[in-house]
Amino acid sequence: MATVTFDKATRRYPGAERAAVDKLEIEIADGEFLVLVGPSGCGKSTSLRMLAGLEDVNDGAIRIGDRDVTHLPPKDRDIAMVFQNYALYPHMTVADNMGFALKIAGVNKAEIRTRVEEAAKILDLTEYLGRKPKALSGGQRQRVAMGRAIVREPQVFLMDEPLSNLDAKLRVQTRTQIAGLQRRLGTTTVYVTHDQVEAMTMGDRVAVLKDGLLQQVDSPRNMYDRPANLFVAGFIGSPAMNLVEVPITDGGVTFGNSIVPVSREALTAAAEGGDRTVTVGVRPEHFDIAGCEAASLAKDEPAGVAVTVNVVEELGADGYVYGTAEIGGTPTDIVVRVGGRHVPMKGEVLHVVPRAGEIHVFSTSTGERLSD
Amino acid sequence: MTAIDTPARRGPGPAARLAARAGSGAVRVGLLLTAVFWLVPTVGLLISSLRGPADISTTGWWRVFTDPAQLTLHNYADLMGNSTITHALLNSVLITVPATVLVIVIGAMAGYAFAWLEFPGRDWLFLLLIALLVVPIQVALIPVTKLYATFGIFGSLVGVILFHTAFGLPFAIFLLRNFFAEIPRELLEAGRLDGAGELRLFARVVVPLGGPAIASLAIFQFLWVWNDMLVALIFANSGSAPLTVALQQQTRQFGDNIDVLSSGAFLSMVIPLAVFFAFQRQFVSGITAGAVK
Ligand SMILES: Nc1ncnc2c1ncn2[C@@H]1O[C@H](COP(=O)(O)OP(=O)(O)O)[C@@H](O)[C@H]1O
Ligand SMILES: [Mg+2]
């Protein structure tokens, strides 16, 4: 068990202009499950491989516990990794795959057997111990890869998209199993995925990366409630947050026929940046359908913006309305969550206003969060 | 990887169609006839080696089918009694086994280094190695003769072994490097994370995975060295000459030694075959199936 620290760790691949991972700074607590998430190519695997010792660190440092491991070879770091493609030794049985590290470490045969059998029991692999990997299903191989990591009882687990080769149903199942197993073992874990749902459901904390730069590290709740910038706002949450650019007025922003109040500090900050507009983020569940009673800027017209329904996704309990609205003269796609019993028809027009206190305000020019 | 497991599913390519047809009668008979035709000389040699010298020089080997009483193990008894031949047979083994083992061991280690270790000048060195592949053996004969004379190993077993090893290595390294380079990177990384150093990784992961390539290489190198006569004629002396040279010298007294010649030739042919069958089990394709994905 140990903490893990990325201290301005940087990786530049030879010949690349930009660093693949740029001054990454994360402190991971002992026993924590940290998920690194971001779009493909953002440097997640590189970060993980730097921690594993499989990739050079060009600048900065990486520490496991108090130990500076920046330049240690992988075998001296006491970490186990689950690879995206599992990387099982094809010429060894499941038991030998799982026991390989212990054998190298010189653990005696009886002890290896006990530990392998124990791990196999946890992972439901007991009857496959004598098989070679090629005689296993994808899900079983994935579990062997997990088993190989847990029998070692390492300081840190690293997992690089371990579920991406499984089918959707198995993925959801395994997701819960891995998270549960990690809580039970209490081993510090860094988990990489491009799937924000996986990140939000599994992690104690989530770190969002983009183009090698860390965007935000936070608990899933905070990540959802207070995204630090436009990128995180758009990346976390499904369907994604609605992001629209709106003009600033006195005491708030103009949102169609309504004025939505925004804190004075946010508006001042935007004005100081020289902006006349801000980008407002509203989650689909934070739109209210406007009735005629709501205050409207225009006479004879309902408040908020008029959304013409294009598609409705009914999920039973609720539904998502995918529509288009004219905002500031440009057609904008808007997603609204509606109750499952009152689903509008295609072509209908909905008038929606953001719920007060539930909007996120970002600077249009820098993308940074302005509201608190 | 699944493509390797079930090549048939790739759809009916020409080879797949042929393979499917191989089950049908006509093709099977055709294949059988070809195989029999190919085996005729070998069978002929085997039968000749089992006939007396007088029979060999007067009638063809197919006569045994009408007169099986001709068959005798006499030639083999003579062969074993002929000390030149038994000594040469021993020399053949003493040359071929080390020359094969050395090429495999050095070739595999160098192949691993070229494929997976980073060191300055690696790619240039590998290019140079490829260039060595096209150096004909003949251009080295005179310089190496002089070199051996300086070191005093001309005419010795060691000289012959070293020559075969040196000329076997470029191809061995080339072949094994390309084979090892195909091993998924993650497999080696997993090994390193599991605590394996380079040597252990090589012995426990790379070599087992390289099994098919190493087995093929072993067979080719064994055959090449076993059947070699040019190198042995030049670098071996009468004490270190292998079977090929000894048999060739028997032909000078053709007629007298036809018994030893036929049985000796068959023996020299059957040993590489035995080696082939010993390694044959290693030729299982798709040994990496199940490693990744
Ligand atoms: N071995 C490499 N050599 C050069 N560039 C690389 C190498 N591996 C990854 N990269 C680059 O570094 C960036 C980050 O890659 P990676 O960490 O694999 O992304 P992710 O895992 O988030 O999809 C990408 O732009 C990729 O092209
Ligand atoms: Mg990746």
Side-chain angles (χ1 to χ4, degrees), chain A residues 64-81:
Chain A
I64 298 177
D66 303 326
R67 219 154 51 108
D68 187 335
V69 298
T70 316
H71 301 292
L72 282 188
K75 68 186 177 75
D76 299 331
R77 296 192 184 201
D78 196 13
I79 44 189
M81 181 154 168

PDB file of all heavy atoms in Angstrom, chain A residues 64-81:
ATOM      1  N   ILE A  64       6.502   6.693  -5.467  1.00  0.00           N
ATOM      2  CA  ILE A  64       5.569   5.715  -4.904  1.00  0.00           C
ATOM      3  C   ILE A  64       5.902   5.656  -3.422  1.00  0.00           C
ATOM      4  O   ILE A  64       7.008   5.300  -3.054  1.00  0.00           O
ATOM      5  CB  ILE A  64       5.730   4.330  -5.561  1.00  0.00           C
ATOM      6  CG1 ILE A  64       5.412   4.429  -7.055  1.00  0.00           C
ATOM      7  CG2 ILE A  64       4.834   3.305  -4.879  1.00  0.00           C
ATOM      8  CD1 ILE A  64       5.612   3.144  -7.821  1.00  0.00           C
ATOM      9  N   GLY A  65       4.950   6.040  -2.588  1.00  0.00           N
ATOM     10  CA  GLY A  65       5.270   6.220  -1.172  1.00  0.00           C
ATOM     11  C   GLY A  65       6.300   7.341  -1.071  1.00  0.00           C
ATOM     12  O   GLY A  65       6.160   8.377  -1.709  1.00  0.00           O
ATOM     13  N   ASP A  66       7.374   7.097  -0.314  1.00  0.00           N
ATOM     14  CA  ASP A  66       8.422   8.111  -0.206  1.00  0.00           C
ATOM     15  C   ASP A  66       9.529   7.866  -1.217  1.00  0.00           C
ATOM     16  O   ASP A  66      10.503   8.599  -1.277  1.00  0.00           O
ATOM     17  CB  ASP A  66       9.058   8.078   1.199  1.00  0.00           C
ATOM     18  CG  ASP A  66       8.004   8.267   2.274  1.00  0.00           C
ATOM     19  OD1 ASP A  66       7.052   9.008   1.990  1.00  0.00           O
ATOM     20  OD2 ASP A  66       8.137   7.659   3.353  1.00  0.00           O
ATOM     21  N   ARG A  67       9.378   6.785  -1.976  1.00  0.00           N
ATOM     22  CA  ARG A  67      10.454   6.361  -2.850  1.00  0.00           C
ATOM     23  C   ARG A  67      10.373   7.079  -4.192  1.00  0.00           C
ATOM     24  O   ARG A  67       9.340   7.065  -4.849  1.00  0.00           O
ATOM     25  CB  ARG A  67      10.331   4.854  -3.088  1.00  0.00           C
ATOM     26  CG  ARG A  67      11.614   4.104  -3.116  1.00  0.00           C
ATOM     27  CD  ARG A  67      11.376   2.661  -2.719  1.00  0.00           C
ATOM     28  NE  ARG A  67      10.299   2.054  -3.469  1.00  0.00           N
ATOM     29  CZ  ARG A  67      10.477   1.132  -4.422  1.00  0.00           C
ATOM     30  NH1 ARG A  67      11.677   0.715  -4.727  1.00  0.00           N
ATOM     31  NH2 ARG A  67       9.451   0.619  -5.053  1.00  0.00           N
ATOM     32  N   ASP A  68      11.456   7.717  -4.599  1.00  0.00           N
ATOM     33  CA  ASP A  68      11.506   8.326  -5.920  1.00  0.00           C
ATOM     34  C   ASP A  68      11.793   7.211  -6.933  1.00  0.00           C
ATOM     35  O   ASP A  68      12.859   6.596  -6.908  1.00  0.00           O
ATOM     36  CB  ASP A  68      12.613   9.375  -5.961  1.00  0.00           C
ATOM     37  CG  ASP A  68      12.590  10.144  -7.271  1.00  0.00           C
ATOM     38  OD1 ASP A  68      12.084   9.593  -8.266  1.00  0.00           O
ATOM     39  OD2 ASP A  68      13.071  11.287  -7.295  1.00  0.00           O
ATOM     40  N   VAL A  69      10.830   6.919  -7.796  1.00  0.00           N
ATOM     41  CA  VAL A  69      11.008   5.805  -8.725  1.00  0.00           C
ATOM     42  C   VAL A  69      11.252   6.291 -10.154  1.00  0.00           C
ATOM     43  O   VAL A  69      11.273   5.491 -11.089  1.00  0.00           O
ATOM     44  CB  VAL A  69       9.775   4.867  -8.724  1.00  0.00           C
ATOM     45  CG1 VAL A  69       9.565   4.259  -7.361  1.00  0.00           C
ATOM     46  CG2 VAL A  69       8.532   5.597  -9.183  1.00  0.00           C
ATOM     47  N   THR A  70      11.436   7.614 -10.287  1.00  0.00           N
ATOM     48  CA  THR A  70      11.510   8.213 -11.626  1.00  0.00           C
ATOM     49  C   THR A  70      12.381   7.415 -12.589  1.00  0.00           C
ATOM     50  O   THR A  70      12.031   7.242 -13.746  1.00  0.00           O
ATOM     51  CB  THR A  70      12.028   9.656 -11.525  1.00  0.00           C
ATOM     52  OG1 THR A  70      11.363  10.278 -10.449  1.00  0.00           O
ATOM     53  CG2 THR A  70      11.764  10.414 -12.812  1.00  0.00           C
ATOM     54  N   HIS A  71      13.530   6.979 -12.103  1.00  0.00           N
ATOM     55  CA  HIS A  71      14.444   6.303 -13.026  1.00  0.00           C
ATOM     56  C   HIS A  71      14.686   4.841 -12.679  1.00  0.00           C
ATOM     57  O   HIS A  71      15.651   4.241 -13.138  1.00  0.00           O
ATOM     58  CB  HIS A  71      15.764   7.083 -13.110  1.00  0.00           C
ATOM     59  CG  HIS A  71      15.555   8.489 -13.581  1.00  0.00           C
ATOM     60  ND1 HIS A  71      15.151   8.789 -14.862  1.00  0.00           N
ATOM     61  CD2 HIS A  71      15.642   9.674 -12.936  1.00  0.00           C
ATOM     62  CE1 HIS A  71      15.007  10.101 -14.990  1.00  0.00           C
ATOM     63  NE2 HIS A  71      15.295  10.660 -13.832  1.00  0.00           N
ATOM     64  N   LEU A  72      13.799   4.278 -11.885  1.00  0.00           N
ATOM     65  CA  LEU A  72      13.932   2.849 -11.555  1.00  0.00           C
ATOM     66  C   LEU A  72      13.369   1.994 -12.690  1.00  0.00           C
ATOM     67  O   LEU A  72      12.381   2.362 -13.313  1.00  0.00           O
ATOM     68  CB  LEU A  72      13.161   2.525 -10.280  1.00  0.00           C
ATOM     69  CG  LEU A  72      13.780   2.907  -8.936  1.00  0.00           C
ATOM     70  CD1 LEU A  72      12.934   2.313  -7.807  1.00  0.00           C
ATOM     71  CD2 LEU A  72      15.201   2.406  -8.835  1.00  0.00           C
ATOM     72  N   PRO A  73      13.974   0.839 -12.940  1.00  0.00           N
ATOM     73  CA  PRO A  73      13.383  -0.070 -13.933  1.00  0.00           C
ATOM     74  C   PRO A  73      12.071  -0.646 -13.388  1.00  0.00           C
ATOM     75  O   PRO A  73      11.871  -0.695 -12.171  1.00  0.00           O
ATOM     76  CB  PRO A  73      14.433  -1.167 -14.101  1.00  0.00           C
ATOM     77  CG  PRO A  73      15.254  -1.109 -12.866  1.00  0.00           C
ATOM     78  CD  PRO A  73      15.231   0.305 -12.396  1.00  0.00           C
ATOM     79  N   PRO A  74      11.171  -1.091 -14.300  1.00  0.00           N
ATOM     80  CA  PRO A  74       9.844  -1.571 -13.885  1.00  0.00           C
ATOM     81  C   PRO A  74       9.908  -2.630 -12.793  1.00  0.00           C
ATOM     82  O   PRO A  74       9.092  -2.636 -11.880  1.00  0.00           O
ATOM     83  CB  PRO A  74       9.266  -2.173 -15.164  1.00  0.00           C
ATOM     84  CG  PRO A  74      10.045  -1.614 -16.277  1.00  0.00           C
ATOM     85  CD  PRO A  74      11.361  -1.164 -15.743  1.00  0.00           C
ATOM     86  N   LYS A  75      10.909  -3.524 -12.881  1.00  0.00           N
ATOM     87  CA  LYS A  75      10.896  -4.655 -11.965  1.00  0.00           C
ATOM     88  C   LYS A  75      11.177  -4.250 -10.526  1.00  0.00           C
ATOM     89  O   LYS A  75      10.896  -5.001  -9.607  1.00  0.00           O
ATOM     90  CB  LYS A  75      11.890  -5.729 -12.423  1.00  0.00           C
ATOM     91  CG  LYS A  75      13.344  -5.359 -12.331  1.00  0.00           C
ATOM     92  CD  LYS A  75      14.185  -6.473 -12.950  1.00  0.00           C
ATOM     93  CE  LYS A  75      15.647  -6.166 -12.966  1.00  0.00           C
ATOM     94  NZ  LYS A  75      16.306  -6.289 -11.658  1.00  0.00           N
ATOM     95  N   ASP A  76      11.712  -3.038 -10.327  1.00  0.00           N
ATOM     96  CA  ASP A  76      11.999  -2.598  -8.965  1.00  0.00           C
ATOM     97  C   ASP A  76      10.931  -1.693  -8.388  1.00  0.00           C
ATOM     98  O   ASP A  76      11.137  -1.061  -7.359  1.00  0.00           O
ATOM     99  CB  ASP A  76      13.347  -1.866  -8.935  1.00  0.00           C
ATOM    100  CG  ASP A  76      14.476  -2.776  -9.375  1.00  0.00           C
ATOM    101  OD1 ASP A  76      14.356  -3.990  -9.164  1.00  0.00           O
ATOM    102  OD2 ASP A  76      15.461  -2.276  -9.951  1.00  0.00           O
ATOM    103  N   ARG A  77       9.768  -1.589  -9.067  1.00  0.00           N
ATOM    104  CA  ARG A  77       8.775  -0.619  -8.603  1.00  0.00           C
ATOM    105  C   ARG A  77       7.653  -1.244  -7.789  1.00  0.00           C
ATOM    106  O   ARG A  77       6.832  -0.542  -7.219  1.00  0.00           O
ATOM    107  CB  ARG A  77       8.177   0.121  -9.792  1.00  0.00           C
ATOM    108  CG  ARG A  77       9.220   0.950 -10.507  1.00  0.00           C
ATOM    109  CD  ARG A  77       8.579   1.901 -11.480  1.00  0.00           C
ATOM    110  NE  ARG A  77       9.620   2.621 -12.212  1.00  0.00           N
ATOM    111  CZ  ARG A  77       9.425   3.768 -12.836  1.00  0.00           C
ATOM    112  NH1 ARG A  77       8.235   4.319 -12.840  1.00  0.00           N
ATOM    113  NH2 ARG A  77      10.410   4.349 -13.467  1.00  0.00           N
ATOM    114  N   ASP A  78       7.583  -2.574  -7.791  1.00  0.00           N
ATOM    115  CA  ASP A  78       6.534  -3.276  -7.060  1.00  0.00           C
ATOM    116  C   ASP A  78       5.136  -2.817  -7.468  1.00  0.00           C
ATOM    117  O   ASP A  78       4.319  -2.409  -6.650  1.00  0.00           O
ATOM    118  CB  ASP A  78       6.726  -3.106  -5.550  1.00  0.00           C
ATOM    119  CG  ASP A  78       5.906  -4.132  -4.772  1.00  0.00           C
ATOM    120  OD1 ASP A  78       5.418  -5.092  -5.414  1.00  0.00           O
ATOM    121  OD2 ASP A  78       5.744  -3.964  -3.559  1.00  0.00           O
ATOM    122  N   ILE A  79       4.877  -2.867  -8.772  1.00  0.00           N
ATOM    123  CA  ILE A  79       3.555  -2.540  -9.271  1.00  0.00           C
ATOM    124  C   ILE A  79       3.119  -3.643 -10.215  1.00  0.00           C
ATOM    125  O   ILE A  79       3.954  -4.329 -10.801  1.00  0.00           O
ATOM    126  CB  ILE A  79       3.558  -1.212 -10.060  1.00  0.00           C
ATOM    127  CG1 ILE A  79       4.774  -1.199 -10.976  1.00  0.00           C
ATOM    128  CG2 ILE A  79       3.507  -0.018  -9.182  1.00  0.00           C
ATOM    129  CD1 ILE A  79       4.992   0.111 -11.613  1.00  0.00           C
ATOM    130  N   ALA A  80       1.824  -3.804 -10.350  1.00  0.00           N
ATOM    131  CA  ALA A  80       1.311  -4.788 -11.304  1.00  0.00           C
ATOM    132  C   ALA A  80       0.404  -4.066 -12.281  1.00  0.00           C
ATOM    133  O   ALA A  80      -0.262  -3.108 -11.919  1.00  0.00           O
ATOM    134  CB  ALA A  80       0.536  -5.881 -10.577  1.00  0.00           C
ATOM    135  N   MET A  81       0.425  -4.523 -13.523  1.00  0.00           N
ATOM    136  CA  MET A  81      -0.349  -3.816 -14.537  1.00  0.00           C
ATOM    137  C   MET A  81      -1.251  -4.789 -15.280  1.00  0.00           C
ATOM    138  O   MET A  81      -0.852  -5.906 -15.589  1.00  0.00           O
ATOM    139  CB  MET A  81       0.625  -3.143 -15.509  1.00  0.00           C
ATOM    140  CG  MET A  81      -0.030  -2.354 -16.606  1.00  0.00           C
ATOM    141  SD  MET A  81       1.103  -1.055 -17.153  1.00  0.00           S
ATOM    142  CE  MET A  81       0.300  -0.514 -18.646  1.00  0.00           C
TER     143      MET A  81
END
